[in-house]
Coordinates of all heavy atoms in Angstrom, one line a residue:
L97 N 90.6 -126.0 -48.7 CA 91.6 -126.7 -49.4 C 91.2 -128.2 -49.5 O 91.8 -128.9 -50.4 CB 93.0 -126.5 -48.8 CG 93.6 -125.1 -48.8 CD1 94.9 -125.1 -48.1 CD2 93.8 -124.6 -50.2
E98 N 90.4 -128.7 -48.6 CA 90.2 -130.1 -48.5 C 88.8 -130.5 -49.0 O 88.3 -131.6 -48.9 CB 90.3 -130.6 -47.1 CG 91.8 -130.4 -46.6 CD 92.0 -131.1 -45.2 OE1 92.0 -132.3 -45.2 OE2 92.2 -130.3 -44.3
T99 N 88.1 -129.5 -49.7 CA 86.8 -129.7 -50.3 C 86.9 -130.3 -51.7 O 87.9 -130.1 -52.4 CB 86.0 -128.5 -50.2 OG1 86.6 -127.5 -51.1 CG2 85.9 -127.9 -48.8
E100 N 85.8 -130.9 -52.2 CA 85.7 -131.4 -53.5 C 85.7 -130.2 -54.5 O 86.3 -130.3 -55.6 CB 84.5 -132.3 -53.7 CG 84.6 -133.6 -53.0 CD 85.8 -134.5 -53.5 OE1 86.0 -134.5 -54.8 OE2 86.5 -135.0 -52.7
A101 N 85.1 -129.1 -54.1 CA 85.0 -127.9 -54.9 C 86.4 -127.4 -55.3 O 86.7 -127.0 -56.4 CB 84.2 -126.8 -54.3
F102 N 87.3 -127.4 -54.2 CA 88.7 -126.9 -54.5 C 89.4 -127.9 -55.4 O 90.2 -127.4 -56.2 CB 89.4 -126.7 -53.1 CG 90.9 -126.5 -53.3 CD1 91.3 -125.3 -53.8 CD2 91.8 -127.4 -53.0 CE1 92.6 -125.0 -54.0 CE2 93.2 -127.1 -53.2 CZ 93.6 -125.9 -53.6
K103 N 89.2 -129.2 -55.2 CA 90.0 -130.1 -56.0 C 89.6 -129.9 -57.5 O 90.5 -130.0 -58.3 CB 89.6 -131.6 -55.6 CG 90.2 -131.9 -54.2 CD 89.7 -133.4 -53.9 CE 90.3 -133.7 -52.5 NZ 89.9 -135.1 -52.0
K104 N 88.4 -129.6 -57.8 CA 88.0 -129.4 -59.1 C 88.5 -128.0 -59.6 O 89.0 -127.9 -60.7 CB 86.4 -129.4 -59.2 CG 85.9 -129.2 -60.6 CD 84.4 -129.3 -60.7 CE 83.8 -129.1 -62.1 NZ 82.4 -129.2 -62.2
E105 N 88.4 -127.0 -58.8 CA 88.8 -125.7 -59.2 C 90.3 -125.6 -59.3 O 90.8 -125.0 -60.4 CB 88.3 -124.7 -58.1 CG 88.5 -123.2 -58.5 CD 88.0 -122.3 -57.4 OE1 87.8 -122.8 -56.2 OE2 87.7 -121.1 -57.7
G106 N 91.0 -126.1 -58.4 CA 92.5 -126.0 -58.4 C 93.1 -126.8 -59.5 O 94.1 -126.4 -60.1
G107 N 92.4 -127.9 -59.9 CA 92.9 -128.8 -61.0 C 92.8 -128.2 -62.3 O 93.4 -128.7 -63.3
S108 N 92.1 -127.1 -62.5 CA 91.8 -126.6 -63.8 C 92.8 -125.5 -64.2 O 92.8 -124.9 -65.3 CB 90.4 -126.0 -64.0 OG 90.3 -124.9 -63.1
L109 N 93.7 -125.1 -63.3 CA 94.6 -124.0 -63.5 C 96.0 -124.4 -63.0 O 96.3 -124.7 -61.8 CB 94.1 -122.8 -62.6 CG 95.0 -121.6 -62.6 CD1 95.1 -121.0 -64.0 CD2 94.4 -120.6 -61.7
R110 N 97.0 -124.3 -63.9 CA 98.4 -124.6 -63.6 C 98.9 -123.7 -62.5 O 99.6 -124.1 -61.6 CB 99.2 -124.5 -64.9 CG 100.7 -124.7 -64.7 CD 101.0 -126.2 -64.7 NE 102.4 -126.5 -64.3 CZ 102.8 -127.7 -64.0 NH1 102.0 -128.7 -64.1 NH2 104.0 -127.9 -63.7
G111 N 98.6 -122.4 -62.6 CA 99.2 -121.4 -61.6 C 98.7 -121.6 -60.2 O 99.3 -121.0 -59.2
S112 N 97.7 -122.5 -60.0 CA 97.2 -122.7 -58.6 C 98.3 -123.4 -57.7 O 98.2 -123.3 -56.5 CB 96.0 -123.5 -58.6 OG 96.2 -124.8 -59.2
I113 N 99.3 -124.0 -58.3 CA 100.3 -124.6 -57.5 C 101.0 -123.5 -56.6 O 101.5 -123.9 -55.5 CB 101.4 -125.3 -58.4 CG1 102.5 -126.0 -57.7 CG2 102.0 -124.3 -59.4 CD1 102.1 -127.1 -56.8
M114 N 101.0 -122.3 -57.0 CA 101.8 -121.3 -56.3 C 101.0 -120.7 -55.1 O 101.6 -119.9 -54.4 CB 102.3 -120.2 -57.2 CG 103.4 -120.6 -58.1 SD 104.0 -119.2 -59.1 CE 102.7 -119.1 -60.4
I115 N 99.8 -121.3 -54.8 CA 99.2 -120.9 -53.5 C 99.8 -121.7 -52.4 O 99.7 -121.4 -51.2 CB 97.7 -121.0 -53.5 CG1 97.3 -122.5 -53.6 CG2 97.1 -120.2 -54.6 CD1 95.8 -122.8 -53.4
V116 N 100.5 -122.9 -52.7 CA 100.9 -123.8 -51.7 C 102.0 -123.2 -50.8 O 102.0 -123.2 -49.6 CB 101.5 -125.1 -52.3 CG1 102.0 -126.0 -51.2 CG2 100.3 -125.8 -53.1
G117 N 103.0 -122.5 -51.4 CA 104.1 -121.9 -50.6 C 103.6 -120.9 -49.6 O 103.9 -120.9 -48.4
P118 N 102.8 -119.9 -50.0 CA 102.3 -118.9 -49.1 C 101.4 -119.5 -48.0 O 101.5 -119.1 -46.8 CB 101.4 -117.9 -49.9 CG 102.0 -118.1 -51.3 CD 102.4 -119.5 -51.5
L119 N 100.5 -120.5 -48.3 CA 99.7 -121.1 -47.3 C 100.5 -121.9 -46.3 O 100.3 -121.9 -45.1 CB 98.6 -122.0 -48.0 CG 97.5 -121.3 -48.8 CD1 96.7 -122.3 -49.6 CD2 96.6 -120.5 -47.9
L120 N 101.5 -122.6 -46.8 CA 102.4 -123.4 -45.9 C 103.1 -122.5 -45.0 O 103.2 -122.8 -43.8 CB 103.4 -124.2 -46.8 CG 104.4 -125.0 -46.0 CD1 103.8 -126.1 -45.2 CD2 105.4 -125.6 -47.0
A121 N 103.6 -121.4 -45.5 CA 104.4 -120.4 -44.6 C 103.5 -119.8 -43.6 O 104.0 -119.7 -42.4 CB 105.0 -119.3 -45.5
R122 N 102.3 -119.4 -43.9 CA 101.5 -118.6 -43.0 C 100.6 -119.5 -42.1 O 100.3 -119.2 -41.0 CB 100.7 -117.6 -43.8 CG 99.9 -116.6 -42.9 CD 99.4 -115.5 -43.7 NE 98.3 -114.8 -42.9 CZ 97.2 -114.3 -43.4 NH1 97.0 -114.3 -44.7 NH2 96.4 -113.7 -42.6
F123 N 100.1 -120.6 -42.7 CA 99.1 -121.4 -41.9 C 99.6 -122.8 -41.6 O 98.9 -123.6 -41.0 CB 97.8 -121.5 -42.8 CG 97.2 -120.2 -43.0 CD1 97.3 -119.5 -44.3 CD2 96.5 -119.5 -42.0 CE1 96.7 -118.3 -44.5 CE2 95.9 -118.2 -42.3 CZ 96.1 -117.6 -43.5
G124 N 100.8 -123.2 -42.1 CA 101.4 -124.5 -41.7 C 100.9 -125.6 -42.6 O 101.3 -126.8 -42.3
K125 N 100.2 -125.4 -43.6 CA 99.7 -126.4 -44.5 C 99.3 -125.9 -45.8 O 98.7 -124.8 -45.9 CB 98.6 -127.3 -43.9 CG 97.4 -126.5 -43.6 CD 96.4 -127.5 -42.9 CE 95.0 -126.8 -42.5 NZ 94.1 -127.7 -41.8
G126 N 99.5 -126.7 -46.8 CA 99.0 -126.3 -48.2 C 98.7 -127.5 -49.0 O 99.5 -128.5 -49.0
Y127 N 97.6 -127.5 -49.7 CA 97.2 -128.7 -50.5 C 96.9 -128.2 -51.9 O 96.5 -127.0 -52.1 CB 96.0 -129.4 -49.9 CG 96.1 -129.7 -48.5 CD1 95.2 -129.2 -47.5 CD2 97.1 -130.5 -48.0 CE1 95.3 -129.5 -46.2 CE2 97.2 -130.9 -46.7 CZ 96.3 -130.4 -45.8 OH 96.4 -130.7 -44.5
I128 N 97.0 -129.1 -52.9 CA 96.7 -128.8 -54.3 C 96.5 -130.0 -55.1 O 97.2 -131.0 -54.9 CB 97.9 -127.9 -54.9 CG1 97.4 -127.2 -56.2 CG2 99.1 -128.8 -55.2 CD1 96.5 -126.1 -56.0
P129 N 95.4 -130.1 -55.9 CA 95.3 -131.2 -56.8 C 96.2 -131.0 -57.9 O 96.9 -130.0 -58.1 CB 93.8 -131.0 -57.3 CG 93.5 -129.5 -57.2 CD 94.3 -129.0 -56.0
K130 N 96.5 -132.1 -58.7 CA 97.4 -132.0 -59.8 C 96.9 -130.9 -60.8 O 95.8 -130.9 -61.3 CB 97.4 -133.4 -60.6 CG 98.4 -133.4 -61.7 CD 98.5 -134.8 -62.3 CE 99.6 -134.8 -63.4 NZ 99.6 -136.2 -64.1
P131 N 97.8 -129.9 -60.9 CA 97.3 -128.7 -61.7 C 97.2 -129.0 -63.2 O 97.8 -129.9 -63.8 CB 98.4 -127.7 -61.5 CG 99.2 -128.2 -60.4 CD 99.1 -129.7 -60.4
G132 N 96.3 -128.3 -63.8 CA 96.0 -128.4 -65.3 C 97.0 -127.5 -66.0 O 98.1 -127.3 -65.7
G133 N 96.4 -126.9 -67.1 CA 97.2 -126.0 -68.0 C 97.4 -126.6 -69.3 O 96.8 -127.5 -69.7
D134 N 98.4 -126.0 -70.1 CA 98.7 -126.5 -71.4 C 99.2 -127.9 -71.5 O 99.9 -128.3 -70.6 CB 99.8 -125.6 -72.0 CG 99.3 -124.1 -72.3 OD1 98.1 -124.0 -72.7 OD2 100.0 -123.2 -72.2
K135 N 98.8 -128.6 -72.5 CA 99.2 -129.9 -72.8 C 100.4 -129.8 -73.7 O 100.4 -130.1 -74.9 CB 98.1 -130.8 -73.4 CG 96.8 -130.8 -72.6 CD 97.1 -131.3 -71.1 CE 95.7 -131.2 -70.3 NZ 96.0 -131.5 -68.9
I136 N 101.6 -129.4 -73.1 CA 102.7 -129.2 -73.9 C 103.9 -130.1 -73.6 O 105.0 -130.0 -74.0 CB 103.2 -127.7 -73.9 CG1 103.4 -127.3 -72.4 CG2 102.2 -126.8 -74.5 CD1 104.0 -125.9 -72.2
G137 N 103.5 -131.2 -72.8 CA 104.6 -132.1 -72.3 C 104.6 -132.2 -70.8 O 103.8 -131.6 -70.1
R138 N 105.5 -132.9 -70.3 CA 105.6 -133.2 -68.9 C 106.0 -131.9 -68.1 O 107.0 -131.3 -68.5 CB 106.7 -134.3 -68.6 CG 106.8 -134.7 -67.2 CD 107.6 -136.1 -67.1 NE 107.8 -136.4 -65.7 CZ 109.0 -136.3 -65.1 NH1 110.0 -135.7 -65.7 NH2 109.1 -136.6 -63.8
R139 N 105.4 -131.6 -67.1 CA 105.6 -130.4 -66.3 C 105.7 -130.8 -64.9 O 104.7 -130.8 -64.1 CB 104.6 -129.3 -66.6 CG 104.4 -129.0 -68.1 CD 103.3 -128.0 -68.3 NE 103.7 -126.6 -68.0 CZ 102.9 -125.6 -68.3 NH1 101.7 -125.7 -68.7 NH2 103.3 -124.4 -67.9
R140 N 106.9 -131.1 -64.4 CA 107.1 -131.8 -63.1 C 107.0 -130.7 -62.0 O 107.2 -129.5 -62.2 CB 108.5 -132.4 -63.1 CG 109.6 -131.5 -63.3 CD 110.9 -132.2 -63.7 NE 111.4 -133.1 -62.7 CZ 112.2 -132.7 -61.7 NH1 112.6 -131.4 -61.7 NH2 112.7 -133.5 -60.8
L141 N 106.5 -131.2 -60.8 CA 106.4 -130.4 -59.7 C 107.4 -130.7 -58.6 O 107.3 -130.2 -57.5 CB 105.0 -130.6 -59.1 CG 103.8 -130.3 -60.0 CD1 102.5 -130.7 -59.3 CD2 103.8 -128.8 -60.3
D142 N 108.3 -131.6 -58.9 CA 109.3 -132.0 -57.9 C 110.1 -130.9 -57.2 O 110.3 -130.9 -56.0 CB 110.3 -133.0 -58.5 CG 109.6 -134.3 -59.0 OD1 108.7 -134.1 -59.8 OD2 110.1 -135.4 -58.7
T143 N 110.5 -129.9 -58.0 CA 111.3 -128.7 -57.5 C 110.5 -128.0 -56.4 O 111.1 -127.7 -55.4 CB 111.6 -127.8 -58.7 OG1 112.3 -128.5 -59.7 CG2 112.5 -126.7 -58.2
H144 N 109.2 -127.8 -56.6 CA 108.4 -127.2 -55.6 C 108.4 -127.9 -54.3 O 108.8 -127.4 -53.2 CB 106.9 -127.1 -56.1 CG 106.7 -126.3 -57.3 ND1 106.0 -125.1 -57.4 CD2 107.0 -126.7 -58.6 CE1 105.9 -124.7 -58.6 NE2 106.5 -125.6 -59.4
F145 N 108.1 -129.2 -54.4 CA 107.9 -130.0 -53.1 C 109.2 -130.4 -52.5 O 109.3 -130.4 -51.2 CB 107.0 -131.2 -53.4 CG 105.6 -130.8 -53.7 CD1 105.1 -130.9 -55.0 CD2 104.8 -130.4 -52.7 CE1 103.7 -130.6 -55.3 CE2 103.4 -130.0 -52.9 CZ 102.9 -130.1 -54.2
E146 N 110.3 -130.6 -53.2 CA 111.6 -130.8 -52.6 C 112.0 -129.5 -51.9 O 112.6 -129.6 -50.8 CB 112.6 -131.2 -53.7 CG 112.4 -132.6 -54.3 CD 113.3 -132.9 -55.4 OE1 114.2 -132.0 -55.8 OE2 113.2 -134.0 -56.0
G147 N 111.7 -128.4 -52.4 CA 112.0 -127.1 -51.7 C 111.3 -127.1 -50.4 O 111.9 -126.7 -49.3
F148 N 110.0 -127.3 -50.4 CA 109.2 -127.3 -49.1 C 109.7 -128.3 -48.1 O 109.8 -128.0 -46.9 CB 107.7 -127.6 -49.4 CG 107.1 -126.7 -50.4 CD1 106.1 -127.1 -51.3 CD2 107.4 -125.3 -50.4 CE1 105.5 -126.2 -52.1 CE2 106.8 -124.4 -51.2 CZ 105.8 -124.8 -52.1
I149 N 110.1 -129.5 -48.6 CA 110.7 -130.5 -47.7 C 112.0 -130.1 -47.1 O 112.2 -130.2 -45.9 CB 110.8 -131.9 -48.5 CG1 109.5 -132.5 -48.9 CG2 111.6 -132.9 -47.6 CD1 109.5 -133.6 -49.8
N150 N 112.8 -129.4 -47.9 CA 114.1 -128.9 -47.3 C 113.8 -127.8 -46.3 O 114.6 -127.7 -45.3 CB 114.9 -128.2 -48.5 CG 115.6 -129.2 -49.4 OD1 115.8 -130.4 -49.0 ND2 115.8 -128.9 -50.6
L151 N 112.7 -127.1 -46.4 CA 112.4 -126.1 -45.4 C 111.7 -126.7 -44.1 O 111.4 -126.0 -43.2 CB 111.4 -125.1 -45.9 CG 112.1 -124.1 -47.0 CD1 111.0 -123.3 -47.7 CD2 113.0 -123.2 -46.3
G152 N 111.5 -128.1 -44.1 CA 111.0 -128.8 -42.9 C 109.6 -129.2 -43.0 O 109.1 -129.8 -42.1
A153 N 109.0 -129.1 -44.2 CA 107.6 -129.6 -44.4 C 107.5 -131.1 -44.6 O 108.5 -131.7 -45.1 CB 106.9 -128.9 -45.5
K154 N 106.4 -131.7 -44.2 CA 106.2 -133.1 -44.5 C 105.3 -133.2 -45.7 O 104.3 -132.5 -45.8 CB 105.5 -133.8 -43.3 CG 106.5 -133.9 -42.1 CD 105.9 -134.7 -40.9 CE 106.9 -134.8 -39.8 NZ 106.2 -135.5 -38.6
F155 N 105.6 -134.1 -46.6 CA 104.9 -134.2 -47.9 C 104.0 -135.5 -47.9 O 104.4 -136.5 -47.4 CB 106.0 -134.3 -49.0 CG 105.4 -134.6 -50.4 CD1 104.7 -133.7 -51.1 CD2 105.5 -135.9 -51.0 CE1 104.1 -133.9 -52.4 CE2 105.0 -136.2 -52.2 CZ 104.3 -135.2 -52.9
R156 N 102.9 -135.3 -48.5 CA 102.0 -136.5 -48.7 C 101.3 -136.4 -50.1 O 101.1 -135.3 -50.6 CB 101.0 -136.7 -47.6 CG 100.0 -135.5 -47.4 CD 99.1 -135.8 -46.2 NE 98.2 -134.7 -45.9 CZ 97.0 -134.7 -46.3 NH1 96.6 -135.5 -47.2 NH2 96.2 -133.7 -46.0
Y157 N 101.0 -137.5 -50.7 CA 100.4 -137.6 -52.0 C 99.4 -138.7 -52.1 O 99.7 -139.8 -51.8 CB 101.5 -137.7 -53.1 CG 101.0 -137.9 -54.5 CD1 100.1 -137.0 -55.0 CD2 101.4 -138.9 -55.3 CE1 99.6 -137.1 -56.3 CE2 101.0 -139.1 -56.6 CZ 100.1 -138.2 -57.1 OH 99.6 -138.3 -58.4
N158 N 98.2 -138.3 -52.4 CA 97.1 -139.3 -52.6 C 97.0 -139.7 -54.1 O 96.6 -138.8 -54.9 CB 95.8 -138.7 -52.1 CG 94.6 -139.8 -52.2 OD1 94.7 -140.6 -53.0 ND2 93.7 -139.6 -51.3
R159 N 97.5 -140.9 -54.5 CA 97.6 -141.2 -55.9 C 96.2 -141.5 -56.5 O 96.0 -141.3 -57.7 CB 98.4 -142.6 -56.0 CG 99.9 -142.4 -55.7 CD 100.6 -143.6 -56.0 NE 102.0 -143.5 -55.7 CZ 102.9 -142.9 -56.5 NH1 102.5 -142.5 -57.7 NH2 104.2 -142.8 -56.2

Side-chain angles (χ1 to χ4, degrees):
L97 298 174
E98 301 187 65
T99 65
E100 289 301 317
F102 172 69
K103 290 179 182 179
K104 182 177 179 180
E105 187 179 20
S108 68
L109 175 64
R110 180 81 190 169
S112 62
I113 181 65
M114 285 182 288
I115 69 170
V116 178
L119 290 171
L120 176 65
R122 188 167 162 216
F123 300 103
K125 59 182 178 180
Y127 309 121
I128 197 73
K130 186 176 181 179
D134 289 327
K135 306 304 180 186
I136 54 177
R138 184 167 177 258
R139 306 176 77 178
R140 60 200 295 275
L141 298 174
D142 299 52
T143 304
H144 300 250
F145 290 106
E146 287 174 3
F148 298 146
I149 292 167
N150 285 334
L151 289 168
K154 293 183 178 179
F155 172 74
R156 61 185 177 91
Y157 175 52
N158 185 331
R159 292 186 180 275

